[in-house]
């Protein structure tokens, strides 16, 4: 089993090594990736470490927006002459040391159309082979260069140099200008040490103790954070990153505004929101249900109103009956005329008179009729009307 695997490996590697020594195949050194925002520079590395001490005689940079697409020339170097080509003519240059087999390319003011694959080919003196490096460049939308901050808040300002090479920045400068023709002021200086990525920074003037270096200097990031922003901090801030003989600059415009006074009651007009599909279905369902239930609700309300009115009439009749029962008893008046008495029977001192009597009328038939009462009490002297 092991002998068959070794035999297969030898058969696979034999033509590759043979082509390498005979100069029939190109050698791809590495395949790298880099992400950059629109408007920023990008350093595309292409370094070949040769132990033979042979110098670089030719460098070619080509670009392809996608796989199997047409290849365009970006730059070529030959006979100590560097020539940018096409739409890259005023935006590219060799940034490496050719004496150290470094053919890196600096691409400035990156555009969206620059996204794609860049291929570097290096040829050495008295060497038939071609050493290749491919860099996949990804382009993101531009970062905002104008910041608006309230008084007292913090203002972060990013400044990083994107590169595929591990070149450490040697210095970072942040400068401030309140106007176009005003004198610049020092915001912060950072100096890298000769050995190791660590360095030291210092802030000056009115920015002292208010600005802090927050970027990772080991990855060429010189971002800062300005705290306790004041109105006088309004202006332009320029960042300069130095990598040997390369310098990358980035400028921000900072606007400082006052905070709005807080009120107890604040009426905020909200923007009309666009209803989604689910919300629209819910609203339509509620409207349809309301329309369907409306007749039922009206009929129920009428029934309730009718029952209330009948109950009210019954209560009214009952109250009238109670009032009739509580009414005082009626009295009937009758006159009783006494009959004439003869002179013999008439007393000498009493004249003829008519007497009025009042008696109540009871609801039920009295147990003792008036005639019998008069019979028991005395002679019947008159007739009631």
């Amino acid at each position: 089993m092991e002998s068959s695997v070794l035999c297969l490996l030898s058969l696979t590697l034999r033509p590759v090594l043979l082509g390498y020594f005979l100069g029939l195949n190109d050698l791809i050194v590495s395949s790298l990736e880099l992400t950059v925002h629109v408007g920023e520079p990008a350093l595309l590395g292409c370094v070949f470490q040769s132990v033979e001490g042979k110098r670089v005689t030719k460098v070619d940079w080509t670009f392809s927006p996608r796989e199997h697409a047409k290849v365009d020339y970006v730059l070529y170097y030959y006979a100590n002459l560097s020539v940018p080509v096409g739409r890259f003519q005023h935006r590219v240059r060799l940034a490496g040391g050719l004496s150290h087999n470094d053919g890196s390319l600096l691409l400035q003011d990156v555009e969206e159309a620059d996204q794609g694959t860049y291929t570097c080919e290096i040829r050495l003196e008295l060497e038939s082979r071609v050493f290749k490096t491919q860099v996949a460049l990804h382009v993101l939308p531009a970062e905002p260069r104008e910041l608006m901050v309230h008084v007292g808040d913090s203002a972060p300002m990013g400044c990083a140099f994107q590169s595929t090479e591990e070149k450490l920045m040697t210095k970072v400068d942040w400068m401030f200008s309140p106007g176009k023709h005003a004198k610049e002021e020092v915001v912060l200086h950072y100096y890298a040490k000769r050995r190791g990525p660590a360095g030291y920074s210092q802030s000056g003037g009115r920015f002292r103790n208010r600005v802090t270096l927050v970027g990772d200097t080991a990855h060429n990031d010189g971002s800062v954070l300005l705290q306790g922003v004041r109105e006088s901090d309004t202006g332009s801030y320029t960042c300069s990153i130095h990598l040997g003989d390369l310098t990358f600059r980035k400028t921000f415009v900072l606007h400082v505004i006052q905070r709005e006074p807080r009120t107890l009651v604040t009426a905020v007009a909200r923007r009309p929101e666009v209803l989604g599909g689910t919300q629209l279905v819910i609203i339509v369902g509620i409207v349809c249900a309301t329309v369907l239930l409306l007749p039922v609700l009206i009929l129920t309300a009428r029934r309730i109103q009718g029952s209330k009115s009948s109950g009210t009439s019954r209560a009214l009749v009952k109250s009238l009956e109670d009032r009739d029962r509580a009414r005082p008893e009626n009295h009937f008046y009758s006159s009783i005329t006494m009959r004439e008495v003869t002179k013999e029977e008439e007393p000498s001192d009493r004249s003829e008179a008519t007497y009025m009597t009042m008696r109540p009328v009871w609801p039920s038939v009295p147990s003792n009729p008036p005639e019998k009462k008069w019979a028991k009490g005395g002679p019947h002297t008159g007739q009631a009307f």
Side-chain angles (χ1 to χ4, degrees):
M1 182 68 181
E2 292 180 359
S3 59
S4 61
V5 172
L6 292 176
C7 181
L8 180 61
L9 288 175
S10 62
L11 291 176
T12 303
L13 293 177
R14 186 175 301 172
V16 175
L17 295 176
L18 181 62
Y20 174 79
F21 287 107
L22 294 178
L24 298 178
N25 295 326
D26 296 335
L27 176 63
I28 298 178
V29 177
S30 60
S31 181
L32 308 174
E33 290 189 4
L34 186 64
T35 302
V36 184
H37 290 275
V38 171
E40 295 183 355
L43 182 62
L44 311 180
C46 181
V47 181
F48 175 72
Q49 302 295 336
S50 176
V51 296
E52 301 175 359
K54 297 180 180 180
R55 65 183 183 89
V56 176
T57 57
K58 195 173 188 303
V59 178
D60 293 327
W61 275 97
T62 58
F63 167 72
S64 176
R66 57 187 177 275
E67 191 176 1
H68 306 299
K70 180 182 178 181
V71 177
D72 297 329
Y73 262 93
V74 178
L75 177 145
Y76 64 89
Y77 169 85
Y78 182 73
N80 297 327
L81 182 63
S82 177
V83 181
V85 180
R87 62 185 183 89
F88 301 96
Q89 185 174 1
H90 302 288
R91 296 189 297 127
V92 296
R93 68 180 181 91
L94 289 178
L98 294 178
S99 58
H100 297 86
N101 299 333
D102 188 352
S104 300
L105 180 74
L106 178 63
L107 174 61
Q108 297 178 337
D109 298 328
V110 173
E111 303 172 357
E112 292 185 1
D114 294 339
Q115 179 167 301
T117 302
Y118 293 79
T119 302
C120 169
E121 297 181 357
I122 293 180
R123 291 175 174 81
L124 301 179
E125 184 182 18
L126 301 177
E127 185 72 46
S128 60
R129 290 168 297 166
V130 178
F131 303 93
K132 291 184 179 181
T133 300
Q134 290 183 343
V135 180
L137 182 64
H138 305 282
V139 181
L140 300 178
E143 290 183 326
R145 297 295 181 93
E146 291 193 11
L147 305 177
M148 187 170 293
V149 183
H150 288 94
V151 173
D153 288 348
S154 300
M157 290 177 281
C159 181
F161 187 86
Q162 304 298 333
S163 172
T164 59
E165 297 299 315
E166 296 181 356
K167 292 186 177 181
L168 297 179
M169 61 183 184
T170 57
K171 184 181 178 182
V172 177
D173 295 325
W174 278 93
M175 304 296 294
F176 166 73
S177 177
K180 292 183 179 181
H181 303 289
K183 182 181 179 181
E184 288 190 339
E185 302 178 27
V186 175
V187 178
L188 179 137
H189 285 311
Y190 169 83
Y191 301 93
K193 293 182 178 180
R194 293 183 178 180
R195 295 181 180 179
Y200 66 94
S201 60
Q202 60 181 11
S203 56
R206 56 195 179 91
F207 297 99
R208 189 182 302 273
N209 300 327
R210 292 198 300 131
V211 62
T212 307
L213 183 66
V214 295
D216 186 1
T217 57
H219 293 85
N220 302 329
D221 190 348
S223 303
V224 296
L225 178 66
L226 179 60
Q227 299 175 335
V229 174
R230 308 167 184 171
E231 288 189 18
S232 57
D233 295 337
T234 299
S236 300
Y237 293 79
T238 301
C239 164
S240 300
I241 294 181
H242 303 272
L243 289 87
D245 58 345
L246 297 179
T247 302
F248 161 61
R249 289 183 176 86
K250 188 175 182 179
T251 301
F252 293 90
V253 178
L254 180 64
H255 302 280
V256 182
I257 58 177
Q258 288 284 353
R259 292 183 178 275
E260 296 181 359
R262 296 182 179 179
T263 56
L264 295 178
V265 180
T266 308
V268 180
R270 296 184 177 180
R271 296 181 179 178
E273 298 181 357
V274 180
L275 296 178
T278 305
Q279 296 176 346
L280 188 59
V281 170
I282 293 174
I283 292 175
V284 172
I286 293 174
V287 172
C288 295
T290 304
V291 172
L292 294 176
L293 293 177
L294 186 59
V296 179
L297 295 176
I298 294 175
L299 183 59
T300 305
R302 288 182 177 178
R303 290 182 178 178
I304 294 174
Q305 186 176 3
S307 62
K308 286 185 178 179
S309 61
S310 61
T312 304
S313 61
R314 291 178 182 176
L316 181 60
V317 171
K318 186 177 182 181
S319 64
L320 292 175
E321 292 177 355
D322 294 340
R323 187 179 63 181
D324 292 340
R325 291 179 181 177
R327 182 179 299 175
E329 299 173 349
N330 297 327
H331 296 81
F332 294 89
Y333 298 89
S334 62
S335 62
I336 302 175
T337 306
M338 302 297 294
R339 68 181 177 84
E340 295 183 357
V341 184
T342 61
K343 291 181 179 181
E344 292 82 7
E345 295 178 357
E346 180 182 19
S348 59
D349 56 351
R350 183 175 299 180
S351 60
E352 184 179 355
T354 300
Y355 294 93
M356 300 289 293
T357 60
M358 180 180 66
R359 59 178 178 174
V361 178
W362 304 97
S364 59
V365 179
S367 60
N368 296 324
E371 291 79 10
K372 293 182 179 182
K373 186 176 181 181
W374 279 102
K376 291 180 180 181
H380 185 71
T381 58
Q383 186 175 359
F385 294 94

